[in-house]
Amino acid sequence: MIETITPPSTPVGGGAFTVVSARHPWRWAAGIILTAIIGLLVFSAVTNPRFGWDKVARYFRDVTVVNGIEVTLFLTVICMAVGVALGVVLAVMQLSPNPVASAFAGGYVTIFRGTPVLVQLLFWFNLAALYPEITFGIPGVNLDANQLITPMTAAILGLGLNEAAYMSEIVRAGIQSVDQGQTEAAGALGMPRLLTLSRVVLPQAMRVIIPPTGNEFIGMLKTTSLVSVLAVPDLLYSAQIIYSKNLQVIPLLVVASIWYIIVTTVFTVGQGYLERRFSRGTTRSAPPTAWGRLRAFFRVHSPLATRKGTNDER
């Protein structure tokens, strides 16, 4: 005898199951607590007269501060360019079958990643103590190290060469993320190794290289504040010059901090869109930006959306 299974009867009054979205009360509780903490911090900062907000507004667009921002951006771009260019060379050397080239690149990375950036800046600034005259091994060339190694030159050498050690590891990881079959296919087509690297491997590795490189760029922007010990007139040193005269230390440090936040925020937004550009083709949809995730969250969890969903169910 075959048993017949009958489906359950349709509920009276509708015929469709009511789908209710999951409730997350702890998310809202955490959000309220964090909002309250932020509000208290902002209220404390605004009402504390020792911050000197009137002086912050006064020096925010000071000529010395603006010139310092230009020097900071210049150092960031130049040092990152040196770091990226030299980092690619070092990464290729590390992956080279030549043991001498690989050992040289590995030793470079070990030395420059193993010593603090501030020590390297001071070392390059005092290079004349080791080599009063720089000849580059060329007969008849005698350059005075004190005139050649200016504070700006020492800053570029210290930051750029240090960044190259970190960029070499980033580029090496990006190259190794590309399937070996791509290189083998290019070699089967008769492409030389350099052309394979520039036309096949590196374009595919950019998806892995871009995000950490953006972080390194933003980190470099803040690391340039160390050049103030060399009397390079960057943003921080410009603020120090002003508060050494008027003794308004906190307001000028707040000015420098606000400018750092503004510039890093702009570059962070640019980094996000650049990552979305290079992530195309690897995912079904481009990853959302922070603003997009925030809008999606409030679109789903807002009381208006909940009320609308309830009305639709009715």
Side-chain angles (χ1 to χ4, degrees):
M1 180 177 180
I2 301 175
E3 181 180 359
T4 304
I5 301 176
T6 57
S9 58
T10 304
V12 180
F17 293 101
T18 302
V19 179
V20 181
S21 59
R23 306 299 182 185
H24 301 284
W26 289 110
R27 291 184 184 179
W28 287 101
I32 293 173
I33 293 173
L34 292 176
T35 303
I37 293 174
I38 294 173
L40 290 175
L41 292 175
V42 171
F43 178 79
S44 175
V46 171
T47 57
N48 191 342
R50 294 182 178 86
F51 276 95
W53 293 109
D54 56 334
K55 299 179 180 62
V56 170
R58 176 181 174 184
Y59 291 104
F60 186 74
R61 298 178 60 185
D62 188 86
V63 176
T64 304
V65 173
V66 174
N67 292 336
I69 296 172
E70 295 176 357
V71 174
T72 295
L73 293 175
F74 172 79
L75 278 174
T76 302
V77 173
I78 294 298
C79 294
M80 280 302 300
V82 172
V84 170
L86 189 55
V88 173
V89 176
L90 290 171
V92 174
M93 291 175 65
Q94 282 188 290
L95 298 174
S96 172
N98 187 336
V100 178
S102 179
F104 175 84
Y108 181 99
V109 172
T110 300
I111 292 173
F112 281 88
R113 287 205 309 172
T115 54
V117 184
L118 183 58
V119 174
Q120 297 177 33
L121 289 171
L122 295 174
F123 179 86
W124 288 110
F125 185 67
N126 294 281
L127 186 64
L130 291 175
Y131 301 99
E133 294 182 353
I134 300 176
T135 63
F136 297 107
I138 302 175
V141 176
N142 293 308
L143 301 176
D144 187 2
N146 286 313
Q147 296 181 358
L148 182 63
I149 307 298
T150 62
M152 182 65 74
T153 305
I156 294 175
L157 287 173
L159 296 177
L161 297 181
N162 178 79
E163 183 60 33
Y166 290 91
M167 283 303 307
S168 67
E169 295 298 291
I170 294 174
V171 176
R172 182 173 65 86
I175 292 175
Q176 290 179 328
S177 69
V178 179
D179 188 81
Q180 184 65 24
Q182 300 289 322
T183 304
E184 295 174 355
L189 294 175
M191 297 179 64
R193 292 178 61 88
L194 184 60
L195 186 62
T196 301
L197 179 67
S198 60
R199 295 293 183 87
V200 178
V201 178
L202 282 179
Q204 297 182 66
M206 292 301 291
R207 177 178 57 87
V208 178
I209 295 174
I210 287 295
T213 301
N215 292 334
E216 289 294 316
F217 188 92
I218 295 172
M220 175 64 70
L221 179 67
K222 295 178 292 184
T223 307
T224 54
S225 61
L226 294 176
V227 303
S228 60
V229 300
L230 307 181
V232 176
D234 70 317
L235 175 57
L236 179 59
Y237 188 74
S238 300
Q240 290 174 332
I241 291 176
I242 298 176
Y243 74 61
S244 65
K245 298 177 181 178
N246 59 15
L247 303 180
Q248 299 296 329
V249 179
I250 298 300
L252 267 302
L253 291 179
V254 171
V255 169
S257 300
I258 292 175
W259 273 116
Y260 277 120
I261 292 173
I262 292 174
V263 178
T264 53
T265 301
V266 171
F267 284 120
T268 300
V269 173
Q271 175 192 351
Y273 283 101
L274 192 61
E275 290 180 13
R276 286 166 56 87
R277 168 66 176 81
F278 280 94
S279 66
R280 294 189 303 181
T282 60
T283 57
R284 293 182 179 272
S285 60
T289 60
W291 175 245
R293 290 194 299 267
L294 187 64
R295 287 189 302 175
F297 175 81
F298 283 105
R299 184 168 58 248
V300 173
H301 296 88
S302 64
L304 181 61
T306 304
R307 190 180 306 112
K308 180 180 178 182
T310 305
N311 294 333
D312 293 341
E313 293 170 1
R314 294 176 180 176

